[in-house]
């Protein structure tokens, strides 16, 4: 129990120290603030902490079967007989110390594994909180980017609509161009309205984490590096994930607990040996002797199970099936960890290429829009071509921003997968958030 509590407290303390180190800095960004508030207020983390403390109690409960037990009983009895009526009363102190109990020993080992699993699950919950904070923060940034591009697109199309209206009034273009521009403007307004709603919803996700309203966050710096992680080959990362992934560690601890439970159930066929001792004080005899009589006893108790109606064998089989289930679950978890590590590494490598390509796409779209506008001014292009070129430019800007956010999201998921995700990653990312 103490070891598990030390693990829990050490994890919380490391987090608190990390946050405290940056608290005095004026440049501390909103991401760190939101994470600190989530540490204090997130109900999922609070529930996980309570669950971990409850799970830690499995250790002292299982250890109790190896320790002595002491009981005190008292009695008073009124007895009516032919020879005499009298009152008998007294008390007895009993002590029992197991000397050999295979079932109690394996139950103790099971409790150790269960306590370890509870501690690991709390560590996992803390990593999940980091990931939820980052993902919610990125959701707001995505929504803000969508709103900003929608607003910019709406303004640009409004200017285009005013331009074609003026040209139509002097007979330079047909009414269809005005209608096309008007339709594009109406659609842009709808997109902007939807983006506003999405932004409000994304802020609600942060409020759920922090327990209080959040109305603004810091944007991601343009200089944020999007680079391949090293090594680029998956085998080294798979090896690291096999050693550090918390989901796999939990599955391993559960398998160990199931193995010990199976051993404890099978030990129900074995004899047990206990040391027993008692001290008795008794008063009240039919002979009229009213003095206290003292009795001391010490001995060994051997219990040999012979037949229990088949219950012991059934429990042994049941625990064996539970152990098999835990082993298969662990094997499936291991395969999932290997697969997800490969997938996330591949996604990160794709993200790096995607960010570079989408950045170039913005430059190409700007060039294409400029050429289309020049063609429209000399009459070789119509307003539909211009509107499409503008749409392509704003889509390229949104896609570029989302590609950067995808990289960060996959990077944090990858760190969680290999078991290295920590509050330091929040602090590192926060350094790239620029206050408005």
């Amino acid at each position: 129990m103490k070891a598990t509590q030390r693990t829990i407290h050490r994890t919380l303390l490391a987090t608190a120290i990390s946050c405290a180190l940056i608290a005095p800095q004026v440049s501390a960004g909103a991401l760190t603030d939101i994470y600190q508030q989530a540490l204090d207020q997130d109900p999922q983390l609070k529930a996980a902490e309570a669950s971990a403390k409850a799970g830690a109690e499995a250790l002292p409960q299982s250890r109790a079967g190896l320790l002595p037990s002491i009981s005190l009983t008292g009695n008073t009895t009124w007895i009516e007989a032919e020879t005499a009526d009298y009152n008998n009363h007294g008390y007895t102190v009993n002590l029992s110390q197991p000397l050999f109990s295979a079932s109690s020993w394996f139950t103790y080992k099971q409790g150790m594994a269960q306590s370890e699993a509870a501690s690991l699950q709390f560590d996992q919950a803390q990593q999940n909180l980091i990931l939820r904070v980052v993902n919610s923060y990125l959701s707001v940034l995505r929504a803000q980017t969508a709103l900003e591009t929608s607003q910019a697109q709406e303004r640009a199309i409004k200017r285009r609509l005013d331009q074609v209206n003026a040209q139509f009034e002097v007979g330079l273009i047909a009414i269809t161009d005005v209608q096309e521009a008007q339709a594009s403007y109406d659609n842009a307004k709808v997109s902007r309205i939807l983006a506003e709603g999405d932004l409000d919803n994304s802020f609600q996700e942060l409020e759920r984490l922090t327990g209080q309203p959040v109305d603004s966050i810091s944007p991601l710096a343009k200089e944020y590096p999007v680079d391949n992680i090293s090594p680029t080959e998956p085998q080294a990362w798979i090896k690291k994930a096999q050693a550090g992934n918390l989901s796999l560690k939990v599955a391993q601890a559960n398998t160990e607990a199931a193995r010990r439970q199976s051993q404890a159930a099978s030990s129900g066929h074995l004899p047990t040996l206990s040391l027993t001792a008692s001290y008795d004080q008794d008063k009240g005899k039919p002979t009229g002797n009213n003095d206290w009589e003292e009795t001391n006893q010490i001995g060994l108790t051997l219990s040999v199970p012979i037949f229990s109606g088949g219950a012991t064998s059934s429990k042994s089989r049941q625990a064996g099936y539970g152990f098999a289930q835990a082993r298969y679950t662990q094997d499936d978890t291991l395969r999932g960890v290997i697969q997800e590590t490969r997938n996330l590494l591949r996604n990160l490598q794709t993200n790096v290429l995607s960010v570079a390509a989408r950045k170039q796409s913005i430059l190409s779209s700007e060039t294409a829009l400029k050429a289309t506008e020049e063609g429209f001014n000399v009459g070789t292009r119509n307003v539909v071509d211009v509107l499409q070129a503008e749409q392509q430019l704003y889509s390229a800007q949104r896609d570029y921003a989302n590609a950067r956010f995808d990289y960060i999201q996959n990077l944090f998921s990858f760190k969680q997968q290999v078991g290295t995700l920590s509050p330091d990653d929040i602090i590192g990312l926060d350094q790239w958030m620029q206050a408005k």
Side-chain angles (χ1 to χ4, degrees):
M1 175 181 178
K2 292 182 179 179
T4 303
Q5 287 181 334
R6 284 197 298 268
T7 301
I8 295 172
H9 294 160
R10 184 170 59 249
T11 307
L12 288 173
L13 182 60
T15 301
I17 291 174
S18 297
C19 294
L21 288 174
I22 62 169
Q25 300 178 5
V26 178
S27 60
L31 178 59
T32 301
D33 297 337
I34 289 171
Y35 175 62
Q36 182 61 58
Q37 292 166 3
L39 277 176
D40 297 334
Q41 301 295 333
D42 180 58
Q44 293 186 33
L45 183 63
K46 298 296 184 183
E49 183 180 2
S51 177
K53 290 179 178 179
E57 296 301 323
L59 181 56
Q61 290 175 20
S62 61
R63 187 170 52 216
L66 301 176
L67 300 178
S69 62
I70 302 175
S71 64
L72 171 65
T73 60
N75 69 283
T76 180
T77 307
W78 175 255
I79 301 173
E80 294 182 356
E82 292 182 358
T83 57
D85 298 337
Y86 63 96
N87 180 252
N88 177 271
H89 54 272
Y91 65 91
T92 304
V93 179
N94 293 295
L95 179 144
S96 177
Q97 169 62 59
L99 298 180
F100 175 79
S101 176
S103 177
S104 296
W105 173 254
F106 290 129
T107 298
Y108 167 63
K109 289 295 187 179
Q110 178 188 359
M112 291 180 62
Q114 289 174 330
S115 181
E116 178 66 15
S119 177
L120 290 169
Q121 286 171 339
F122 182 52
D123 292 341
Q124 192 176 23
Q126 292 182 87
Q127 282 195 347
N128 288 337
L129 178 64
I130 295 174
L131 203 58
R132 286 188 290 124
V133 168
V134 170
N135 288 344
S136 296
Y137 196 95
L138 293 177
S139 293
V140 176
L141 290 181
R142 292 178 192 272
Q144 282 185 338
T145 300
L147 178 58
E148 289 170 358
T149 54
S150 295
Q151 290 171 335
Q153 186 174 5
E154 182 181 4
R155 290 192 297 268
I157 295 177
K158 182 62 169 62
R159 290 193 299 269
R160 193 69 59 194
L161 177 61
D162 294 340
Q163 179 185 9
V164 295
N165 272 323
Q167 291 176 329
F168 173 72
E169 290 175 359
V170 297
L172 295 178
I173 60 175
I175 186 62
T176 54
D177 288 338
V178 176
Q179 293 170 341
E180 289 284 355
Q182 183 65 52
S184 295
Y185 177 66
D186 294 338
N187 289 331
K189 288 176 62 177
V190 172
S191 297
R192 186 256 306 162
I193 292 171
L194 293 175
E196 290 174 346
D198 290 339
L199 181 59
D200 289 339
N201 292 338
S202 63
F203 274 118
Q204 291 298 315
E205 294 182 21
L206 289 180
E207 182 175 350
R208 178 181 179 182
L209 286 170
T210 61
Q212 55 188 329
V214 179
D215 55 10
S216 64
I217 64 172
S218 302
L220 181 66
K222 295 181 180 179
E223 298 80 13
Y224 178 80
V226 179
D227 303 319
N228 276 317
I229 59 175
S230 180
T232 58
E233 294 300 320
Q235 198 55 44
W237 294 110
I238 290 174
K239 184 177 180 180
K240 192 169 187 177
Q242 289 174 328
N245 183 272
L246 290 180
S247 294
L248 183 56
K249 285 186 175 183
V250 170
Q252 291 169 342
N254 288 336
T255 300
E256 176 64 11
R259 184 174 77 90
R260 294 301 187 178
Q261 183 181 13
S262 178
Q263 290 176 324
S266 299
S267 299
H269 296 287
L270 300 178
T272 60
L273 179 65
S274 300
L275 171 68
T276 60
S278 67
Y279 173 78
D280 179 78
Q281 283 271 17
D282 192 72
K283 184 177 183 181
K285 298 293 182 180
T287 60
N289 182 7
N290 204 33
D291 295 332
W292 286 99
E293 293 188 6
E294 189 176 293
T295 304
N296 295 306
Q297 295 182 4
I298 187 169
L300 295 175
T301 300
L302 177 66
S303 177
V304 181
I306 297 176
F307 181 68
S308 59
T312 301
S313 298
S314 177
K315 291 178 181 178
S316 178
R317 291 193 300 270
Q318 182 184 40
Y321 296 141
F323 177 40
Q325 178 187 6
R327 285 190 290 112
Y328 290 132
T329 299
Q330 178 183 334
D331 185 53
D332 182 67
T333 302
L334 174 60
R335 296 183 187 184
V337 166
I338 294 173
Q339 178 187 9
E340 190 64 15
T341 301
R342 284 199 181 104
N343 290 346
L344 286 171
L345 180 61
R346 189 182 304 109
N347 289 343
L348 284 170
Q349 293 168 348
T350 302
N351 290 148
V352 173
L353 298 175
S354 177
V355 169
R358 293 192 183 282
K359 185 175 182 179
Q360 181 59 42
S361 177
I362 294 176
L363 299 176
S364 301
S365 297
E366 290 174 343
T367 301
L369 175 59
K370 184 177 180 180
T372 305
E373 287 177 331
E374 292 176 355
F376 175 72
N377 292 333
V378 299
T380 59
R381 294 293 188 95
N382 57 34
V383 70
V384 175
D385 297 328
V386 177
L387 294 173
Q388 289 177 345
E390 287 178 336
Q391 174 65 37
Q392 182 177 355
L393 173 60
Y394 291 115
S395 295
Q397 291 173 345
R398 280 193 296 268
D399 292 343
Y400 172 68
N402 285 329
R404 298 173 75 216
F405 301 147
D406 289 341
Y407 172 82
I408 297 173
Q409 189 169 340
N410 284 328
L411 179 61
F412 272 72
S413 296
F414 183 78
K415 289 182 176 182
Q416 183 190 37
Q417 194 66 27
V418 298
T420 62
L421 185 62
S422 72
D424 290 338
D425 295 305
I426 287 275
I427 298 173
L429 177 59
D430 192 45
Q431 295 174 356
W432 294 99
M433 297 298 172
Q434 297 179 336
K436 291 185 177 179

